[in-house]
Amino acid sequence: MKSLNQILLIMVFGCFFQSGFSQVGINTILPLSTLDVNGNLSIKVVNLNGGPSGSWTVINDGIYLSLTPSGLNVEFALPDPTTVPGRMYYLRNITDFDTAKLFTQGGKLLFPKDSKVGVNPLLMPPNAQNKSVIVVSDGANWTYFN
């Protein structure tokens, strides 16, 4: 009975120890979240040019992406949202002349933040409301914010 109590005590202490130290702080001694950053945060920036005529450029790297459509090379494809739940991209059409077409792989749709009607492709014309968008995978489809 004594060894059972000792094992139980060790298990309780182990659970307390694990939950008490599962937060990481950067530049803070008392993190309040799983990751708590007290300072600036930089994210990877990727520049993508339109692919060969008749194909699309796959988006699979980075967080902030500068899209450069040109002529017939204007199509960019997000990954299938079912394979990347929770992933976010910040996308910007950096040209002043060509419209970027944003597709999703897997035949999924892009939904505006306040609508149940999805689109595929999402057009990102220069000098318009959709020139910059944030897309978020919910594990089934993409939601976009502009």
Side-chain angles (χ1 to χ4, degrees):
M1 189 66 155
K2 183 178 177 185
S3 66
L4 181 60
N5 286 341
Q6 288 175 340
I7 291 172
L8 190 56
L9 183 62
I10 290 170
M11 288 176 56
V12 168
F13 180 73
C15 290
F16 172 76
F17 183 78
Q18 177 64 27
S19 66
F21 294 99
S22 62
Q23 296 172 325
V24 175
I26 298 175
N27 211 19
T28 180
I29 57 172
L30 296 172
L32 301 175
S33 298
T34 303
L35 176 61
D36 192 341
V37 179
N38 181 17
N40 297 321
L41 175 69
S42 296
I43 56 177
K44 185 175 183 178
V45 176
V46 175
N47 295 311
L48 292 179
N49 295 317
S53 181
S55 67
W56 58 47
T57 301
V58 176
I59 296 171
N60 61 7
D61 190 23
I63 300 291
Y64 184 92
L65 294 108
S66 298
L67 306 179
T68 308
S70 60
L72 299 175
N73 308 327
V74 297
E75 299 177 349
F76 300 87
L78 291 165
D80 182 333
T82 62
T83 64
V84 290
R87 185 171 293 179
M88 297 175 60
Y89 291 109
Y90 298 79
L91 306 167
R92 181 165 175 80
N93 178 354
I94 62 170
T95 67
D96 291 327
F97 306 106
D98 293 310
T99 297
K101 292 182 182 178
L102 186 60
F103 287 89
T104 66
Q105 297 181 37
K108 303 298 181 177
L109 298 175
L110 290 125
F111 289 89
K113 65 179 184 241
D114 54 359
S115 176
K116 294 181 182 180
V117 179
V119 298
N120 195 8
L122 171 64
L123 301 179
M124 297 175 64
N127 305 318
Q129 183 178 8
N130 284 348
K131 183 177 178 85
S132 296
V133 296
I134 298 170
V135 294
V136 181
S137 168
D138 64 8
N141 290 291
W142 290 97
T143 300
Y144 68 91
F145 304 84
N146 53 352

